[in-house]
Amino acid sequence: MSEPTRAAAPAGAAPAPATDTGGTDGGAATPPGDRRWHEAFARIVSGGWAVSLGAVVLAILAGSVMIAFTDEAVQESAGYFFARPADTFAAIGQAVGGAYAALFRGAVWNYEADSFAAAVRPLTQSLTYATPLIAAGLGVAVAFRAGMFNIGGQGQLLVSAAAAGWVGFAFDLPVGLHLVVAVVVGILAGALWAGIAGLLKAATGAHEVIVTIMLNYIAFYLLSYLLATPGLLQAPGSANPKTPAMAETAVMPGLLGDRYNLHVGFLLVLGAVVLVWWLLNRSSLGFGFRALGENAHAARVAGIDVRRTTVLAMGVAGALVGLAGTTQVLGLITTGFGADIDAGVGFDAITVALLGGSSPVGVLLAGILFGAFKAGGSSMQALEGVPIEIVLVVQSLIVLFIAAPPLVRAVFRLPQPGGRARRRPGRGATGTPTSQEVAA
Amino acid sequence: MTATLAPTPEDVVQHRTVTVVSRKAPIALGVVTALFALLLLLAARAGDATFRLASEGDLVALPDVTVPGTATAWVCVALGAAGTAVAALLVARGRRVPLWLSLVLAVVLLFGFLAWAAAGSAGDIPVTRLVGGSVLLAVPIVFGALGGVVGERAGVVNIAIEGQLLAGAFCAAVAGTVTGSPWAGLLAAVVAGVLVSLVLGVFAITYRVNQVIVGVVLNVLVIGLTSFLYSQVLVPNAETLNATTRFSRIAIPLLADIPVVGPALFNQSVVVYLMYLAVPAIWFALARTRWGLRLRAVGEHPKAADTVGIKVGRTRYLALVVAGAIAGVGGAFYTVVSVSSFGKEMTAGAGFIALAAVIFGKWDPVRAALAALLFGFASNLEGALSIVGAPVPSQFMLMLPYVVTIFAVAGLVGRSRAPAASGQPYVKE
């Protein structure tokens, strides 16, 4: 279970205990050159990077199979497979290759564009999509580290979007101040909404999974009501459940000029990554979070105020999801938003946090990967007609495979770390709570 | 802990009886009653409310019941206040508030709310349809919750209920259309639910991956797979792959003729009757059979179970297979009972509601099924209220069940305790 952490955060930012990395022990005697190379190689292929790479390869292979099987040209040529098998393989190559080429062109580098500025646009687009995913992923990760399952990202995001959006269009404030106020209000709204769940858990023991799911629905209907009522969030003179456009003073400025969608929100999110890293690894509050997540009874015995820590952990989690909400309405969709402003980010954030092993740097990388999938998926659908849902399949398979290193090692015949077949899975190393803590 | 130390003369053994009494029930009841009274004060409504008890084809047509709306509502508030006082008195005397008192007060307040909402409206509240619709909406949630209970009692947290429902719905649609028989669809849904369960088992039991991770990811995987195949395969071939024959309604003689509840409960399709059978069956299997005892032992203390020779891994796999089959039936409900075609993400979060019902029901099959029924009723309430033209914006009506659930979870259920080993992989030493 520590593999995701190590895979995603090789810089050692995550507090992964080095107990189960294998291959690093017994380094007292310097081995001869030949053996050293051998050991270095063994360490690389048994380490997290090889597993992550293997997981991605497996997932992409599975995606290829799905694309090939459902492609019409492939089905047609498979009808006369035994007469001309080459046709089938050519069709498979065309379907799969075309799809992944489109994914790459939409997510990283558009090699068919005629200028550098146009060619690099997909990369900036990926980062734009990654912005809310990283922020919300951090929110879920912080809750995970404190032993709670924040399934309420959707609700927190909707409430913060509503609050930040309201400040964004209804107030008239000077340049600079307006944006700051809007962002702060949005973050506070997210923190308060998640804080309800934390408060109820601390005060009455109400299970946060139930409460956050219920708060998702409540937030959705609340926002729907606000959007459908003139004088609240609905744009004046309109019958649509949509807000007016944000005031120019409240819009997050673009980072790279008007040609690109990437906005200042991305920098805010990078700041949040650093802040969360500091919070979790260097602050006493973060220590309390982690202690609570590892063992609530031990934390109580050690003198940590469990109730206060529970409320604060949910509040911080909600604030981070709230940041995602503000970047959505003040950065991405500034022309007014509807109840679909969540765009699935609230739930995607759970997968991002899991893939990132609940460590800040891991979440950053996982968020960028998922942002790239999101950007590339739309171009794949537009160019090749492959439904964007294939991205969900590939994403979930990657997380599944990374979570089960023995499986990937078996498939690619990679050596098991340490040579010992059986070892206790190092729960807690990823910071994800055991399900018992989640369910208890 | 001190038992292991040698007893010393200084140790004085004290026997004290401590009764833990929670003040939450009277507080929650009081808050809800006060909120209702506030609503009546702020938005008073004049006129009568009509409850329609009869439905088409009744042997004995019951007359409509008409009550003065606001007056009835105030009577209910008074009853609620009285109940709260009784609860507070009980707590003050150090006694527990019985669950039935809370339930009765909830029904009374609900009746008052309906009377207030329907006051002065031309439409009347169709009680039969309210009950029948609630049961129908609750079916997938009940099956999902039962599956969740079986899995968790064996120590495997199943967050993938949503995925099992969706996979069941998809496979039931395809198999049901291809064969032309809803029974084949039902069977395919069971297989699909079991398959999702087995994937969960391979990762959670064999590879000991964190069960929450696997569950969440499996949901995404199933949503992705079904949506992809839906857009790519089902939409172009809608007639040949996605048009099922639905189960027809079967009226049970005599029972279906009971006024009010008869047509609602006993003129339904086979899947609904399966639900009536499944709830007591699962309860019996878990609480009264050797299989259930072993399953619960594995969920509470796998090491102890292992010590007495119970195969932990095998028991958990078997529990997951049963759980998947149950949840699969719930998925079939969508495409062979409710509507006759599959739609993208058609389960719409029912699996998560089922998860909430599992916890709400404290991991007990009967309580979880009741919680699921509550959710079904809540989502059906809005439809009934829109008939009478309730004065509250529809969004608040839709929101109400979730608000009530939070109150209930915080006030009445309180701290729920999961099976001790739930979510923990077992490593034999």
Side-chain angles (χ1 to χ4, degrees), chain B residues 13 21 28 36 54 58-59 68 77 89 112 192 215-216 227 231 255 273 280 284 292 326 341 360 379 400 420 428:
Chain B
V13 181
V21 179
F36 184 39
D58 275 358
L59 275 184
V77 167
L89 205 67
V216 169
S227 303
S231 318
L255 288 179
Y273 298 133
F284 183 81
I326 300 169
S341 64
F360 200 173
S379 28
L400 192 72
K428 193 167 179 165

Side-chain angles (χ1 to χ4, degrees), chain B residues 188-235:
Chain B
V190 168
V191 173
V194 170
L195 277 180
V196 176
S197 262
L198 285 179
V199 177
L200 177 69
V202 167
F203 282 94
I205 301 171
T206 306
Y207 287 110
R208 301 197 289 271
V209 179
N210 183 312
Q211 296 169 2
V212 175
I213 298 187
V214 189
V216 169
V217 171
L218 273 182
N219 284 336
V220 180
L221 180 66
V222 174
I223 290 175
L225 274 177
T226 53
S227 303
F228 176 82
L229 292 174
Y230 172 76
S231 318
Q232 193 81 332
V233 181
L234 292 196
V235 172

Side-chain angles (χ1 to χ4, degrees), chain B residues 2-206:
Chain B
T2 50
T4 55
L5 299 172
T8 55
E10 287 82 10
D11 282 341
V12 180
V13 181
Q14 289 188 329
H15 289 282
R16 273 194 298 173
T17 315
V18 180
T19 319
V20 181
V21 179
S22 169
R23 290 200 185 81
K24 284 183 297 192
I27 292 175
L29 287 172
V31 168
V32 173
T33 310
L35 281 179
F36 184 39
L38 197 68
L39 180 74
L40 291 182
L41 282 178
L42 291 180
R45 293 176 40 100
D48 290 347
T50 311
F51 291 86
R52 180 148 45 86
L53 299 178
S55 61
E56 301 84 31
D58 275 358
L59 275 184
V60 190
L62 291 180
D64 291 351
V65 174
T66 305
V67 292
T70 310
T72 311
W74 278 115
V75 169
C76 292
V77 167
L79 286 174
T84 310
V86 171
L89 205 67
L90 283 174
V91 168
R93 293 221 178 139
R95 289 172 56 192
R96 283 169 186 273
V97 179
L99 188 64
W100 63 262
L101 180 66
S102 308
L103 286 178
V104 166
L105 285 182
V107 171
V108 165
L109 287 175
L110 184 79
F111 176 70
F113 178 76
L114 285 177
W116 167 79
S121 159
D124 35 4
I125 292 185
V127 177
T128 302
R129 229 165 73 193
L130 200 58
V131 177
S134 310
V135 172
L136 272 184
L137 283 172
V139 171
I141 306 176
V142 169
F143 278 113
L146 286 177
V149 166
V150 171
E152 290 218 22
R153 288 307 277 271
V156 184
V157 170
N158 188 0
I159 298 196
I161 301 172
E162 174 84 357
Q164 290 172 329
L165 291 178
L166 197 59
F170 181 86
C171 292
V174 175
T177 312
V178 171
T179 61
S181 150
W183 287 100
L186 190 63
L187 187 69
V190 168
V191 173
V194 170
L195 277 180
V196 176
S197 262
L198 285 179
V199 177
L200 177 69
V202 167
F203 282 94
I205 301 171
T206 306

Side-chain angles (χ1 to χ4, degrees), chain A residues 1 66-67 70-72 75 144 149 151 200-207 209-211 213-215 217-219 221-222 224-225 228 307 347 350-351 354 385-387 389-390 392-393 395-397 399-401 403-404 406-407 410 421-425 427 432-440, chain B residues 24 152 157 159 199 203 207-214 216-218 220-221 223-225 227-229 231-233 236 344-345 348-350 352-353 355-356 359-360 363 375 393 395-396 398-399 401-403 405-406 409-411 414-425 427-429:
Chain A
M1 276 321 306
M66 286 183 59
I67 294 172
T70 54
D71 187 73
E72 275 178 23
Q75 285 168 356
F144 267 144
F149 189 12
I151 209 165
L200 285 177
K201 187 184 173 82
T204 69
H207 200 292
V209 167
I210 305 185
V211 177
I213 291 176
M214 297 302 135
L215 285 175
Y217 288 97
I218 295 172
Y221 291 122
L222 188 66
S224 308
Y225 167 73
R307 292 186 171 191
F347 274 96
I350 301 172
T351 333
L354 293 176
V386 177
E389 287 88 7
I390 187 88
L392 285 180
V393 177
Q395 279 175 349
S396 51
L397 285 177
V399 180
L400 257 191
F401 289 138
L407 180 69
R422 187 166 285 165
R423 64 186 168 86
R424 283 182 166 278
R427 271 188 295 107
T432 27
T434 64
S435 323
Q436 188 205 12
E437 283 148 9
V438 159
Chain B
K24 284 183 297 192
E152 290 218 22
V157 170
I159 298 196
V199 177
F203 282 94
Y207 287 110
R208 301 197 289 271
V209 179
N210 183 312
Q211 296 169 2
V212 175
I213 298 187
V214 189
V216 169
V217 171
L218 273 182
V220 180
L221 180 66
I223 290 175
L225 274 177
S227 303
F228 176 82
L229 292 174
S231 318
Q232 193 81 332
V233 181
K344 212 185 257 191
E345 291 185 50
F352 290 103
I353 296 287
L355 186 65
I359 304 171
F360 200 173
W363 292 270
F375 285 120
Q395 291 92 348
F396 284 99
L398 288 163
M399 199 191 290
Y402 307 110
V403 178
T405 305
I406 291 185
V409 169
R415 209 169 290 273
S416 36
R417 197 188 73 86
S422 185
Q424 288 180 337
V427 189
K428 193 167 179 165
E429 283 168 11

Side-chain angles (χ1 to χ4, degrees), chain A residues 208-374:
Chain A
E208 82 277 1
V209 167
I210 305 185
V211 177
T212 50
I213 291 176
M214 297 302 135
L215 285 175
N216 279 346
Y217 288 97
I218 295 172
F220 177 79
Y221 291 122
L222 188 66
L223 182 60
S224 308
Y225 167 73
L226 295 175
L227 285 170
T229 311
L232 293 172
L233 283 184
Q234 196 178 43
S238 158
N240 293 332
K242 204 181 158 199
T243 68
M246 300 297 124
E248 286 205 358
T249 45
V251 171
M252 291 183 174
L255 274 184
L256 303 167
D258 291 339
R259 291 192 55 180
Y260 303 102
N261 289 329
L262 193 63
H263 51 82
V264 167
F266 184 66
L267 294 185
L268 287 180
V269 167
L270 287 184
V273 171
V274 176
L275 197 69
V276 169
W277 176 84
W278 178 85
L279 176 81
L280 286 177
N281 298 317
R282 292 288 180 272
S283 74
S284 63
L285 182 65
F287 180 77
F289 289 179
R290 286 188 290 140
L292 185 63
E294 295 283 330
N295 188 334
H297 296 293
R300 185 177 290 120
V301 172
I304 289 170
D305 186 342
V306 170
R307 292 186 171 191
R308 186 174 153 268
T309 313
T310 303
V311 177
L312 283 176
M314 278 312 277
V316 170
L320 288 162
V321 182
L323 177 62
T326 57
T327 64
Q328 282 287 91
V329 294
L330 302 177
L332 188 64
I333 302 163
T334 55
T335 52
F337 60 90
D340 57 348
I341 186 70
D342 166 55
V345 168
F347 274 96
D348 286 350
I350 301 172
T351 333
V352 168
L354 293 176
L355 178 61
S358 296
S359 86
V361 180
V363 168
L364 172 69
L365 296 179
I368 291 176
L369 179 69
F370 276 36
F373 271 127
K374 218 169 185 175

